[in-house]
């Protein structure tokens, strides 16, 4: 028996796709949610999985569980390979298709290596749970291998961790890894002193946290230096391989390299045959629809959305959620017969970055905070946006334990062999 209700297909269960689906509750439509993974990921805390502070189950939740009470939503675990705009169908990798009346692409972003994809095996990025556990494995294995390495130069290379990119992810990784090496692991090895670990943050620009006010960038740099992080500015990386990284005229032997320097949009523009910017983001209309296809919307990291001053809307969770709610309101209006233009207006909620377990920088524009108070506000904000009381409680207790004792409980080496470690 066919279902005559308007069919909305959502590709991607990230912040934007999930917020859109929630906002469309109690609307007479049927929704199909498609994602190539079975979980929704709270990406802002993913770096804490990579640095042994949190377990994977504390930052990710099964999509089916989140939508279990929504009888209007069907969830499909599938990999999208294209979109037939003329036939209004989503193409899946098994050869099947899903027809739609309205399509919302919320497919996120992937790593960008600025034309050097060959660097990826040596410098993994951080976008998925698999990325986080891979990075965690490499960091922990570096210490284990250093414990057994008799050659001083090779041992120091194993105890050198290079992070490429001085944005919030790079800064947060650098601070947390420094604390892991200099505090958490101290005294646990017999042949090495983990306090000799070098954490080097490499940024091609003239300051870290470039989207923050300069005073906050300076604060973050000094806070990292107090943790023992070496901050290198003004020199772009020109090589990454198994031996280390090259930036400017400096050759840094490092067996662990982490990539936090750039992102590229998902293949949504390729699927649609739509115009895109250099990062692959779809050039959408003011209402977030695709030019020539008003029934298709692209939101989140996959879309290029410009603010009135010409700057792009940042690729952060709050903007994706705002876009999801906006598109849901547009769909509701259209179903009610209102087809008037509905341009999207972004409201910036501020920039936040943490530096270790006792410092943070917060830029709300009208007020700027640093230090201990900023760290607590950062933590409260992130706990608030976690899903479910159990997860809020678990993360709060994990952070409290780390804050008081310096110990991190998620220090497990998992996955298979990794000869790049």
């Amino acid at each position: 028996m066919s279902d005559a209700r308007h069919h909305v297909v959502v590709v991607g269960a990230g912040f934007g796709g999930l917020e859109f689906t929630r906002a469309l509750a109690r609307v007479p439509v049927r929704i199909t949610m498609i994602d190539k993974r079975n979980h929704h990921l709270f990406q802002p805390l993913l770096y804490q999985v990579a640095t042994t502070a949190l377990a994977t189950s504390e930052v990710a939740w099964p999509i089916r569980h989140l939508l279990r009470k929504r009888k209007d939503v069907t969830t499909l675990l599938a990999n999208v390979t294209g979109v037939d705009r003329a036939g209004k169908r989503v193409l899946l990798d098994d050869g099947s298709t899903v027809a739609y009346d309205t399509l919302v692409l919320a497919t996120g972003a992937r790593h960008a290596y600025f034309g050097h994809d060959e660097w990826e095996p040596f410098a993994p990025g951080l976008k998925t749970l698999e990325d986080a556990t891979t990075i965690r494995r490499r960091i922990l294995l570096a210490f284990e291998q250093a414990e057994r390495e008799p050659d001083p130069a090779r041992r120091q290379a194993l105890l050198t961790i290079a992070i490429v990119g001085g944005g919030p992810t790079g800064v947060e990784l650098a601070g947390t890894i420094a604390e892991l090496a200099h505090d958490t692991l101290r005294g646990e090895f017999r042949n090495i002193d983990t306090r000799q670990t070098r954490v080097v943050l490499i940024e091609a620009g003239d300051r870290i946290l470039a989207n923050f006010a300069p005073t906050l960038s300076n604060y973050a740099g000094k806070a990292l230096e107090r943790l023992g992080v070496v901050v290198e500015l003004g020199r772009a990386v020109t090589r990454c391989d198994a031996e280390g990284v090259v930036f400017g005229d400096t050759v840094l032997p490092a067996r662990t390299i982490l990539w936090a320097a750039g992102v590229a949009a998902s293949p949504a523009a390729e699927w649609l045959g739509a115009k895109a910017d250099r990062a692959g983001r779809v050039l959408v209309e003011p209402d977030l629809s695709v030019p020539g296809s008003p029934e298709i919307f692209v939101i989140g990291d996959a879309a290029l959305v410009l603010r009135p001053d010409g700057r792009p809307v940042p690729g952060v969770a709050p903007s994706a959620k705002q876009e999801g709610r906006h598109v849901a309101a547009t769909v509701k209006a259209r179903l009610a017969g209102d087809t008037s233009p509905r341009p999207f207006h972004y409201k910036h909620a501020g920039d936040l970055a943490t530096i270790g377990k006792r410092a943070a920088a917060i830029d709300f524009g009208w007020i700027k905070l640093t230090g201990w108070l900023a760290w607590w506000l950062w933590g409260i904000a992130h706990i608030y946006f976690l899903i479910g009381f159990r997860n809020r409680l678990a993360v709060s207790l994990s952070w409290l334990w780390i804050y008081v004792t310096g110990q991190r409980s998620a220090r497990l080496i998992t996955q298979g062999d990794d000869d790049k470690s």
Side-chain angles (χ1 to χ4, degrees):
M1 185 174 180
S2 62
D3 191 332
R5 288 178 298 174
H6 188 92
H7 187 205
V8 179
V9 174
V10 184
V11 181
F15 288 107
L18 205 59
E19 189 70 16
F20 168 83
T21 302
R22 286 174 169 168
L24 219 57
R26 295 181 293 279
V27 176
V29 299
R30 61 188 179 98
I31 301 172
T32 298
M33 170 69 76
I34 305 174
D35 200 294
K36 62 183 178 182
R37 292 182 173 83
N38 80 327
H39 55 266
H40 167 74
L41 175 64
F42 191 79
Q43 275 197 341
L45 292 182
L46 189 58
Y47 81 96
Q48 296 212 356
V49 176
T51 55
T52 77
L54 297 176
T56 56
S57 60
E58 292 171 330
V59 300
W61 306 270
I63 299 168
R64 292 187 183 278
H65 176 73
L66 297 178
L67 299 175
R68 67 193 183 281
K69 296 180 180 179
R70 293 288 301 276
K71 303 304 181 183
D72 56 325
V73 179
T74 299
T75 301
L76 300 181
L77 181 65
N79 193 25
V80 173
T81 58
V83 175
D84 176 5
R85 292 171 68 172
K88 299 178 71 172
R89 301 178 304 157
V90 175
L91 313 179
L92 306 181
D93 62 354
D94 63 358
S96 63
T97 63
V98 179
Y100 63 83
D101 296 307
T102 294
L103 173 64
V104 178
L105 297 177
T107 44
R110 49 190 173 175
H111 313 125
Y113 290 86
F114 310 116
H116 291 280
D117 291 345
E118 70 275 11
W119 294 350
E120 185 171 9
F122 310 105
L126 186 59
K127 286 295 179 185
T128 67
L129 282 180
E130 294 85 355
D131 294 335
T133 52
T134 294
I135 289 172
R136 182 181 68 192
R137 172 183 170 80
R138 292 191 182 193
I139 292 171
L140 295 177
L141 273 180
F143 291 109
E144 298 293 341
Q145 292 169 356
E147 175 78 350
R148 300 173 55 192
E149 179 55 62
D151 181 81
R154 291 180 178 272
R155 187 187 311 122
Q156 188 55 62
L158 286 164
L159 292 177
T160 299
I161 299 171
I163 301 164
V164 183
T169 299
V171 168
E172 290 170 342
L173 279 171
T176 308
I177 292 172
E179 288 185 335
L180 171 69
H182 301 159
D183 188 7
T184 303
L185 298 179
R186 184 177 58 186
E188 295 194 0
F189 293 83
R190 298 297 171 260
N191 298 321
I192 61 172
D193 182 352
T194 59
R195 291 174 296 180
Q196 300 302 313
T197 300
R198 292 190 69 206
V199 180
V200 182
L201 179 63
I202 305 166
E203 166 57 42
D206 60 0
R207 62 188 178 99
I208 59 174
L209 299 180
N211 289 334
F212 289 60
T215 54
L216 297 182
S217 296
N218 293 334
Y219 167 81
K222 292 177 181 177
L224 286 173
E225 290 171 1
R226 285 195 295 270
L227 292 175
V229 177
V230 177
V231 179
E232 297 282 359
L233 300 174
R235 290 179 289 175
V237 167
T238 56
R239 194 183 80 200
C240 290
D241 57 30
E243 299 304 317
V245 60
V246 177
F247 55 100
D249 56 0
T250 299
V251 179
L252 178 67
R255 286 297 305 275
T256 303
I257 308 170
L258 308 180
W259 190 262
V263 296
S266 70
E270 300 171 21
W271 298 343
L272 297 168
K275 290 183 179 180
D277 70 352
R278 293 176 60 184
R281 296 175 295 185
V282 177
L283 305 180
V284 296
E285 300 284 7
D287 66 351
L288 307 181
S289 66
V290 175
S293 296
E295 75 282 359
I296 302 177
F297 298 88
V298 184
I299 61 177
D301 290 337
L304 176 64
V305 184
L306 298 179
R307 292 188 266 190
D309 60 5
R311 292 184 299 159
V313 169
V316 294
S319 59
K321 295 175 77 168
Q322 289 180 37
E323 291 168 14
R325 290 193 294 270
H326 177 84
V327 172
T330 299
V331 171
K332 291 179 187 178
R334 289 182 181 180
L335 291 173
D338 181 3
T339 58
S340 58
R342 295 177 51 85
F344 171 71
H345 299 289
Y346 171 64
K347 297 179 181 178
H348 189 52
D351 295 307
L352 302 86
T354 183
I355 307 114
K357 66 179 182 180
R358 289 185 173 87
I362 297 179
D363 189 349
F364 289 130
W366 55 279
I367 187 172
K368 298 169 177 59
L369 297 172
T370 59
W372 179 84
L373 176 59
W375 187 87
W376 279 101
L377 288 176
W378 173 92
I380 291 170
H382 283 72
I383 288 171
Y384 174 79
F385 285 110
L386 286 170
I387 297 174
F389 174 77
R390 175 187 174 279
N391 292 289
R392 294 189 183 105
L393 179 62
V395 171
S396 299
L397 291 175
S398 293
W399 285 352
L400 180 61
W401 182 253
I402 292 169
Y403 189 85
V404 173
T405 69
Q407 295 301 306
R408 301 165 190 270
S409 59
R411 288 159 41 201
L412 303 179
I413 299 175
T414 59
Q415 300 180 329
D417 292 338
D418 185 350
D419 59 10
K420 302 292 191 304
S421 298

